[in-house]
Amino acid sequence: MSIFKTHGIVLKQGKYSEKELYYKILFRDYGILTVTKRKKSREKPIDTWYFVSCEIITHASKSVHTIGNIKINSYFQAWWKKYSEIELFLKILSEVHSQIPEGSPHYEIYDILSYYIEESSSLSYYKLILVGLKIKCCLGSLWESHPNETIMKILKFIHANKYSDILRLWAISDDLIKDLEQLF
């Protein structure tokens, strides 16, 4: 048995058994792992889109690990967001979950998601679109060509720059936002 302290982003949760929950968590150093946690009546379960600090307890004979000593660092603050923004964020998490193989770390995507979750209260909807497009670019599923010349320039900018540079872009017009939404 080994114990590792780490940080992660909860991508998916579900019921493993009557007394255990399972989570798919994107860890910076370990990639996506399936972990379990025993239900406790006095403890709030963690949820999708939480950014947590925890310990991973591994067992040589098990493929599913256990997590413990969980601390919620931050989470996507959805209560005052528009439905379209919540839906887009969930699409991004779903795409990350489906595209990254389990156990393969992807540092850039982890950094992008953790930054966005920590800053979600101050970032606007079009910044979420840009974050999502950068993640699609990292996963290799974003085209550089588009019939609209302005959108094509934005896509080339996303391909060529880091997410911190992309988030410094000024506001984008509503027409361009609608076109960029279609890329998801």
Side-chain angles (χ1 to χ4, degrees):
M1 177 174 84
S2 301
I3 299 175
F4 302 96
K5 290 186 178 191
T6 188
H7 301 280
I9 300 164
V10 181
L11 301 176
K12 185 179 178 182
Q13 61 143 347
K15 192 174 185 180
Y16 191 68
S17 68
E18 285 298 317
K19 295 185 179 189
E20 284 186 311
L21 299 170
Y22 81 89
Y23 299 99
K24 295 276 188 170
I25 301 179
L26 173 64
F27 295 103
R28 186 175 192 332
D29 297 322
Y30 310 111
I32 296 175
L33 295 178
T34 303
V35 295
T36 61
K37 179 184 174 312
R38 293 190 70 73
K39 288 183 186 179
K40 295 182 181 173
S41 61
R42 293 185 179 206
E43 187 177 79
K44 180 182 186 262
I46 57 177
D47 204 355
T48 305
W49 68 47
Y50 278 24
F51 178 56
V52 297
S53 298
C54 62
E55 293 177 344
I56 303 173
I57 303 160
T58 61
H59 304 280
S61 61
K62 293 183 179 179
S63 62
V64 178
H65 310 294
T66 307
I67 68 169
N69 203 11
I70 300 168
K71 178 185 174 217
I72 299 170
N73 295 333
S74 61
Y75 53 90
F76 181 73
Q77 298 178 5
W79 62 84
W80 60 276
K81 301 281 186 182
K82 293 180 184 174
Y83 177 76
S84 57
E85 192 168 349
I86 295 168
E87 182 182 35
L88 180 59
F89 190 71
L90 289 173
K91 280 182 185 176
I92 292 168
L93 289 182
S94 175
E95 187 158 343
V96 166
H97 177 254
S98 65
Q99 296 286 331
I100 297 178
E102 195 157 320
S104 299
H106 201 299
Y107 301 111
E108 188 172 12
I109 290 177
Y110 175 85
D111 291 341
I112 294 168
L113 284 174
S114 63
Y115 175 81
Y116 187 80
I117 290 171
E118 290 176 336
E119 301 294 325
S120 66
S121 62
S122 64
L123 295 176
S124 60
Y125 179 60
Y126 83 90
K127 298 247 180 181
L128 177 61
I129 292 173
L130 295 174
V131 163
L133 291 174
K134 183 60 183 177
I135 288 173
K136 285 181 71 79
C137 173
C138 293
L139 293 171
S141 60
L142 181 66
W143 297 92
E144 274 191 57
S145 60
H146 194 273
N148 184 332
E149 192 172 316
T150 308
I151 297 290
M152 193 164 68
K153 287 179 183 178
I154 292 171
L155 294 176
K156 285 186 180 186
F157 183 78
I158 288 171
H159 277 275
N161 292 289
K162 298 185 306 184
Y163 75 94
S164 57
D165 296 332
I166 292 167
L167 291 176
R168 284 192 273 160
L169 286 175
W170 291 97
I172 299 174
S173 71
D174 290 340
D175 296 338
L176 291 176
I177 288 175
K178 290 189 187 322
D179 288 343
L180 289 171
E181 284 175 340
Q182 300 303 316
L183 297 174
F184 288 97

